[in-house]
Amino acid sequence: MSVQERKERERASRERLIVATARELAEQQGWDAVTTRRLAERIEYSQPVLYSHFRGKREIIGAVALEGATEMAAALRAAASEADGRRARVAALAHAYLEFAERNPAVYDALFQLDGGLAFAQEDTPEPLKDAFAALLETLGEVAGEGLHPALFTELFWSALHGLATLTRAGRLLPEGAEERLDLLVERLAVL
């Protein structure tokens, strides 16, 4: 292995450490607790080293969001692939989405609430974000209904899931109605 290859591998390793540490800190204490100073202390590197990888917190949030989008896409596909039948696939996808949001609140915030400097629904949207949407579209596109564009239907269904995730997390919805709300969403919105 050349010196250059070793340096590139070490750099990639440091970058993964920064992202993992930021994610861990955000999940434990919230994104306000994620500062470059605190990250530098936790990873035992100087702030200039951290800045050599990311220009600031915004880029770190973006890196966490991209990692989270990859994980979300995998979780959605796994859930849908294990279900049999259109209704079961849509329900499994919806459950997986809400479970991901509940288990990973800081990552979910990085994806959908915070400014990570990422473009959504544009030509320059990063591939992990496109793939997360594609994971939704793969299942939801088949239940869009006649005459309705599958991507448009997917956006609408995704918006409803996001609303459920956000309102539930904020304590705005009664916990005992969670299953009924999800059943209504699946039954009334999707053409099964």
Side-chain angles (χ1 to χ4, degrees):
M1 175 184 310
S2 73
V3 172
Q4 182 63 28
E5 289 172 328
R6 182 181 54 77
K7 285 183 179 183
E8 287 174 12
R9 193 174 64 201
E10 289 171 356
R11 180 173 176 75
S13 178
R14 273 192 315 271
E15 194 165 298
R16 284 190 304 274
L17 177 62
I18 293 165
V19 171
T21 304
R23 182 176 174 169
E24 179 185 319
L25 186 57
E27 292 292 1
Q28 291 171 353
Q29 300 176 31
W31 279 104
D32 286 342
V34 179
T35 64
T36 54
R37 187 174 133 254
R38 186 175 273 167
L39 281 174
E41 288 171 2
R42 282 213 175 182
I43 64 172
E44 298 180 345
Y45 283 102
S46 67
Q47 282 183 297
V49 169
L50 194 135
Y51 282 116
S52 74
H53 290 275
F54 299 98
R55 286 183 291 204
K57 183 175 175 177
R58 181 179 188 221
E59 284 189 5
I60 294 168
I61 290 169
V64 170
L66 293 176
E67 186 177 271
T70 299
E71 293 170 11
M72 178 185 277
L76 297 176
R77 286 189 175 105
S81 72
E82 293 172 6
D84 190 27
R86 287 169 29 150
R87 186 199 186 291
R89 279 192 299 278
V90 172
L93 176 103
H95 278 282
Y97 183 95
L98 294 175
E99 287 171 10
F100 182 88
E102 183 181 350
R103 276 192 328 271
N104 305 285
V107 172
Y108 194 81
D109 285 349
L111 273 163
F112 302 119
Q113 306 286 56
L114 301 174
D115 179 9
L118 304 173
F120 283 80
Q122 297 177 23
E123 288 293 320
D124 60 341
T125 298
E127 282 306 313
L129 299 179
K130 288 179 181 178
D131 189 51
F133 184 78
L136 290 166
L137 181 62
E138 290 161 12
T139 296
L140 296 171
E142 67 184 46
V143 297
E146 192 174 320
L148 186 57
H149 192 283
L152 182 64
F153 175 77
T154 299
E155 289 173 344
L156 179 64
F157 199 95
W158 171 31
S159 298
L161 287 174
H162 176 68
L164 287 174
T166 303
L167 292 170
T168 298
R169 189 164 142 206
R172 302 292 197 268
L173 299 175
L174 295 173
E176 56 268 12
E179 283 300 315
E180 186 177 354
R181 278 190 290 278
L182 199 52
D183 287 343
L184 278 169
L185 176 63
V186 170
E187 289 296 328
R188 303 292 178 163
L189 202 52
V191 178
L192 303 168

